[in-house]
Amino acid sequence: MKVVEVAAGLVYREGRYLIARRKADVHLAGFWEFPGGKREPGETFEECLERELFEELNIRIGAPVPFQVVLHQYPEKTVELHFFRCGIESGQATAVDCAEIRWVWPHELGDFEFPPADRPIIEALRRQVV
């Protein structure tokens, strides 16, 4: 089975995380997620994250810090998600290539429907004292 490599950003500002809602015409449509996307050939995960966040949200980030890697098997594919903590260096987050965005507190993450692969990250963030 194919493994899809993804970089995802835990974009953090003043105690809250940026989450994005997936568009209607994509895999896992309507779910909320930490923004990011598929790694292209020759890209590092950090380069992928920087490119994806600029394309999806029109933001530039500072140096991403590795947080956790999650391997999750869906019926149709396996995803390897590389999560990074990061902050916005320039730009104002805008829903360019997603349905909508929100800034949420860690304790609010459970109020949103995320894909199963994101659940370990949500639990880790809710336990963390930042």
Side-chain angles (χ1 to χ4, degrees):
M1 186 176 288
K2 184 180 176 198
V3 176
V4 179
E5 295 179 322
V6 173
L10 304 173
V11 184
Y12 185 79
R13 182 180 75 192
E14 297 171 2
R16 294 186 290 178
Y17 289 95
L18 181 64
I19 61 172
R21 188 174 219 155
R22 295 177 66 86
K23 290 161 75 170
D25 58 346
V26 298
H27 179 246
L28 300 170
F31 278 90
W32 289 86
E33 66 180 355
F34 297 102
K38 293 183 200 131
R39 184 165 78 132
E40 292 181 355
E43 267 185 331
T44 66
F45 283 101
E46 291 84 353
E47 290 166 342
C48 169
L49 183 62
E50 290 167 2
R51 175 184 53 77
E52 287 283 349
L53 294 183
F54 184 71
E55 290 173 2
E56 288 182 17
L57 304 168
N58 199 33
I59 57 173
R60 298 280 184 200
I61 58 169
V65 177
F67 181 76
Q68 195 171 323
V69 177
V70 174
L71 191 64
H72 186 84
Q73 197 161 341
Y74 289 101
E76 66 281 3
K77 63 183 162 188
T78 298
V79 291
E80 183 180 290
L81 296 150
H82 291 250
F83 289 90
F84 294 86
R85 284 182 62 106
C86 55
I88 298 174
E89 289 251 313
S90 65
Q92 184 69 33
T94 309
V96 176
D97 195 23
C98 52
E100 65 180 294
I101 59 171
R102 296 224 187 125
W103 287 96
V104 299
W105 298 100
H107 71 271
E108 295 174 319
L109 290 168
D111 299 341
F112 296 86
E113 193 172 8
F114 282 81
D118 288 6
R119 290 190 188 128
I121 300 302
I122 291 166
E123 289 310 309
L125 293 176
R126 290 171 76 185
R127 283 193 307 265
Q128 260 192 351
V129 178
V130 181

